[in-house]
Amino acid sequence: MLPLRDFWRKHKRKVYVSIGILGSGYVLYKLYDGQRERIAALERELEKQHEADERIKAQMQASFASIQRISDTTTLPSVMNDLRIRISEELDLSELRDRLNQGRSQPNRLTAREKLELWERLKILSFTKAMTSLWAVNMLTLLVRVIYNVLGRHLYIDTARGVGSIEPLSEADSLDSLGHHEFLSSADYLWKYSLGALILDMQKAVTEVLNGRKLTELFSMPQLHDTIMEMLDTMRKENASSYHWVPYLLPDNASTDDPSSATSSHADSGPTTKLELLIMETRSVLSSDEFSKVVDISLREMVNSLMEQMEMQVYANASAASSSSGVPLVKLVPRIIELCNHLLEEPSKNTFIHRIQSLPELDVFCKVLFAGAPLVA
């Protein structure tokens, strides 16, 4: 026992220190092990969150792509067909052309003054029809996209909250069967109610730009391009609002029936139904600076496409001398009339609409709209 007591007396402090060190090491190890477990659990949670975010992102991308496809293949073709019929009725140039053809085959049937008057009318009305068609096709293509993305976002949010259908949107649904037909039918407002006002405003702009331009005046490609842009710009400037397209595209109230039946008191009371909320939101989008930028880009794209068609049909077939100096306005008028048919073709065959739908600026705008990000108003 004595050796053990001597050993304990001599090395007691060292033993205590060693035990303390071992104890501290064990405590530190347990703390480190616990921290490592917490970090691992956090990493697993973050991984799950990342996977969930990726699933949501993939779902949103699939829903967005579906919305664009549905808008381009359902409502737009229907609206375009109705627009084509209305413009053909409102701006029927067949009588003017028939009278001019009769005057050509029967020289004594019309006096020189009558022929000139008929040509002047045809000049104004042909450009009016072309510009109305170009503007309306462009704006309706954009409007349908806006309507579907506004509605699609609301449906997606309702689905995420468990309010709406859990089934993903498909072309079979076409959004119409989901009880939103009345909102989707707001795309019909232009051809139903405001087309007459649009034609009158466009005719004023065309008349102002072409006033004093003789039928024998030569137009080069750049001159024709500038003239068409001037017509569109003049029509825009004649409207007091910076977003002059809104009154042509949407009613002042939520009803898409005859707007004359609406009361101002109801319009001023604020949105009380889902339809009113959707219409108000769509109006806000159409009145945003971001949408205005898309309108400017798309209209220029439409005009460029029109000029490419003119170049193939008119300027490429002209002689080298006349092509450089220009083509008489009287020869451009029949080609302008023919291009109206191309402008109003059904969307699946319409190269003008395809170019608008392919604009990267429109794609980005629609993605922002569908995601619910704020637009600059």
Side-chain angles (χ1 to χ4, degrees):
M1 292 292 292
L2 288 175
L4 183 62
R5 287 179 180 175
D6 291 341
F7 176 83
W8 174 250
R9 190 167 45 251
K10 291 179 180 180
H11 301 286
K12 178 172 61 174
R13 183 169 182 172
K14 294 179 180 179
V15 171
Y16 283 139
V17 171
S18 298
I19 293 174
I21 292 173
L22 289 173
S24 299
Y26 177 76
V27 171
L28 289 174
Y29 169 76
K30 294 300 289 183
L31 289 174
Y32 168 76
D33 189 57
Q35 181 69 9
R36 186 179 62 181
E37 284 295 324
R38 286 192 292 272
I39 292 175
L42 180 60
E43 288 176 344
R44 289 193 295 271
E45 185 66 27
L46 290 175
E47 181 64 24
K48 290 180 181 179
Q49 184 64 42
H50 177 71
E51 292 175 356
D53 290 343
E54 288 299 314
R55 284 197 301 272
I56 293 173
K57 182 179 178 181
Q59 290 173 355
M60 285 195 69
Q61 289 175 342
S63 295
F64 174 77
S66 177
I67 288 294
Q68 313 319 303
R69 183 171 60 254
I70 294 170
S71 70
D72 294 344
T73 58
T74 56
T75 298
L76 185 59
S78 174
V79 172
M80 281 295 301
N81 181 62
D82 293 323
L83 177 68
R84 179 172 56 253
I85 294 172
R86 280 295 315 280
I87 289 181
S88 298
E89 292 173 348
E90 297 290 329
L91 290 167
D92 186 3
L93 307 181
S94 58
E95 183 180 350
L96 280 175
R97 301 185 74 181
D98 289 344
R99 291 186 63 187
L100 285 169
N101 288 332
Q102 290 173 1
R104 187 180 297 112
S105 60
Q106 303 174 35
N108 296 327
R109 188 177 181 88
L110 296 173
T111 65
R113 183 189 180 105
E114 288 174 332
K115 288 181 182 179
L116 181 60
E117 290 176 351
L118 288 174
W119 269 110
E120 286 293 333
R121 286 180 58 194
L122 187 62
K123 176 186 74 174
I124 297 298
L125 292 179
S126 63
F127 274 93
T128 298
K129 185 174 184 178
M131 294 301 98
T132 300
S133 301
L134 184 148
W135 191 94
V137 168
N138 180 71
M139 296 309 303
L140 281 181
T141 302
L142 300 181
L143 174 65
V144 170
R145 281 289 186 93
V146 169
I147 287 174
Y148 269 83
N149 280 285
V150 168
L151 179 56
R153 175 162 51 80
H154 278 268
L155 291 175
Y156 185 85
I157 292 173
D158 289 345
T159 301
R161 291 174 176 171
V163 176
S165 169
I166 61 174
E167 296 295 325
L169 294 173
S170 66
E171 292 192 43
D173 296 323
S174 72
L175 298 183
D176 195 16
S177 61
L178 301 176
H180 297 89
H181 173 75
E182 194 171 0
F183 175 58
L184 296 178
S185 67
S186 60
D188 296 330
Y189 184 78
L190 172 61
W191 70 264
K192 272 188 176 181
Y193 303 116
S194 62
L195 182 61
L198 173 61
I199 290 174
L200 287 176
D201 291 341
M202 193 64 75
Q203 185 172 342
K204 290 178 183 177
V206 169
T207 302
E208 181 177 333
V209 173
L210 293 182
N211 184 35
R213 312 295 287 268
K214 298 181 182 300
L215 289 164
T216 55
E217 184 173 340
L218 299 179
F219 279 78
S220 64
M221 278 280 293
Q223 288 173 327
L224 181 59
H225 175 275
D226 292 345
T227 299
I228 290 174
M229 291 302 300
E230 186 180 357
M231 292 173 182
L232 295 172
D233 194 48
T234 300
M235 195 276 269
R236 176 182 61 82
K237 289 179 179 178
E238 288 179 353
N239 290 270
S241 173
S242 300
Y243 313 107
H244 66 280
W245 47 81
V246 178
Y248 299 114
L249 301 179
L250 288 177
D252 291 332
N253 57 86
S255 174
T256 54
D257 296 326
D258 187 349
S260 62
S261 63
T263 59
S264 59
S265 59
H266 177 69
D268 295 338
S269 62
T272 58
T273 66
K274 186 62 174 287
L275 174 62
E276 291 174 337
L277 175 64
L278 291 170
I279 291 289
M280 185 180 71
E281 187 172 332
T282 303
R283 178 179 291 275
S284 176
V285 172
L286 299 183
S287 302
S288 67
D289 291 340
E290 292 304 312
F291 182 76
S292 181
K293 294 174 184 176
V294 175
V295 170
D296 289 340
I297 293 170
S298 59
L299 278 176
R300 291 183 182 279
E301 188 68 19
M302 289 282 283
V303 174
N304 291 338
S305 183
L306 183 70
M307 293 308 303
E308 290 173 8
Q309 295 281 340
M310 289 294 292
E311 184 175 21
M312 288 188 295
Q313 294 185 21
V314 181
Y315 290 92
N317 296 325
S319 64
S322 61
S323 179
S324 60
S325 59
V327 175
L329 181 56
V330 69
K331 289 187 177 181
L332 293 177
V333 169
R335 302 287 81 80
I336 289 291
I337 296 174
E338 289 179 14
L339 282 176
C340 293
N341 297 326
H342 296 296
L343 282 164
L344 296 170
E345 272 189 315
E346 62 176 284
S348 62
K349 301 177 182 178
N350 196 314
T351 57
F352 296 94
I353 291 178
H354 291 169
R355 289 181 64 156
I356 298 305
Q357 292 172 338
S358 301
L359 285 173
E361 292 84 358
L362 176 60
D363 183 62
V364 171
F365 176 83
C366 290
K367 285 179 178 176
V368 172
L369 178 58
F370 184 76
L375 297 170
V376 180

